[in-house]
């Protein structure tokens, strides 16, 4: 297992096909989810929730929504990261609770003022989905740190995926993370230079 964050970053790659019959343990899933839970978010809103799909029928339904991509069809576990769009209305109980926590006993009005400006200026569905990427990045690095293979999947039929995981109105899929034991050795990393 890598010892430093940079080791995990160096080792992480998108696994496109997972080894069959090698599950992800409940403890491993818990560590991956905890990494997502601890991710940063604007205004401390944490506008996400995570749905773990490990049963065969559920994985098949999610994989179909992901256009049958091999990473989705062969994964031992799929984590659907969901953006909590409706909850982000400025006067919702959810926002009120998150801002109270974020203010840490101080006045919440400066946070509300900035957020109300954002709320009018942005598409909250797109904004919330973008925030979910912070959680996804940390989950992918945690998986790499533990020696798990992973693949972020952003190509899916949103309506079909929402149905597959029974999302209520006001929640939208942001990303799917496929997890398992990669079925092949890590490929050579190809990245452009910083400059």
């Amino acid at each position: 297992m890598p010892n430093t964050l940079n080791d995990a970053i160096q080792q992480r790659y998108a696994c496109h096909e997972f080894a069959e019959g090698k599950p992800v343990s409940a403890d491993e899933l818990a560590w991956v989810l905890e990494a997502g839970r601890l991710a940063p978010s604007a205004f401390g809103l944490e506008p996400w929730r995570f749905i773990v799909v490990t049963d065969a029928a559920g994985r098949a339904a999610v994989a179909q929504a992901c256009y049958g991509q091999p990473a989705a069809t062969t994964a031992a576990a799929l984590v659907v990261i969901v953006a909590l769009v409706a909850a982000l209305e400025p006067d919702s109980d959810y926002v009120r609770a998150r801002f109270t926590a974020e203010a840490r006993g101080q006045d919440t009005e400066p946070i509300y003022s900035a957020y109300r400006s954002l709320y009018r200026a942005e598409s909250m569905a797109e904004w919330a989905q973008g925030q979910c990427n912070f959680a996804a990045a940390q989950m992918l690095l945690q998986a790499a740190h533990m020696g798990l293979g992973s693949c972020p999947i952003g190509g899916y039929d949103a309506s079909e995926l929402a149905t597959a995981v029974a999302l209520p109105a006001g929640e939208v899929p942001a990303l799917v993370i496929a997890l398992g034991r990669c079925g092949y050795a890590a490929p050579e990393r190809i990245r452009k230079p910083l400059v």
Side-chain angles (χ1 to χ4, degrees), residues 47-72:
W48 51 63
R49 72 181 180 101
F50 314 128
I51 300 172
V52 178
V53 183
T54 56
D55 66 287
R59 285 183 314 180
V62 171
Q64 181 176 321
C66 294
Y67 308 116
Q69 295 176 58

Side-chain angles (χ1 to χ4, degrees), residues 11-66:
Q11 289 187 354
R12 200 220 62 78
Y13 63 94
C15 176
H16 297 290
E17 189 168 338
F18 295 91
E20 195 173 329
K22 296 189 176 181
V24 176
S25 74
D27 283 346
E28 289 170 321
L29 282 169
W31 279 105
V32 169
L33 296 174
E34 181 67 0
R37 185 185 76 83
L38 294 174
S41 62
F43 300 99
L45 281 171
E46 304 170 39
W48 51 63
R49 72 181 180 101
F50 314 128
I51 300 172
V52 178
V53 183
T54 56
D55 66 287
R59 285 183 314 180
V62 171
Q64 181 176 321
C66 294

Side-chain angles (χ1 to χ4, degrees), residues 106-148:
Q106 302 297 312
D107 182 13
T108 59
E109 188 48 41
I111 302 170
Y112 270 109
S113 177
Y115 182 66
R116 284 190 179 99
S117 295
L118 168 78
Y119 192 84
R120 287 191 300 267
E122 296 284 329
S123 160
M124 291 314 289
E126 291 175 10
W127 181 85
Q129 287 172 306
Q131 292 292 302
C132 289
N133 290 323
F134 297 134
Q138 290 199 182
M139 294 166 100
L140 293 167
L141 290 177
Q142 180 64 40
H145 177 69
M146 296 186 311
L148 289 174

Side-chain angles (χ1 to χ4, degrees), residues 96-111:
R96 207 173 354 268
R98 296 306 315 138
F99 285 178
T100 298
E102 187 69 10
R104 294 173 175 83
Q106 302 297 312
D107 182 13
T108 59
E109 188 48 41
I111 302 170

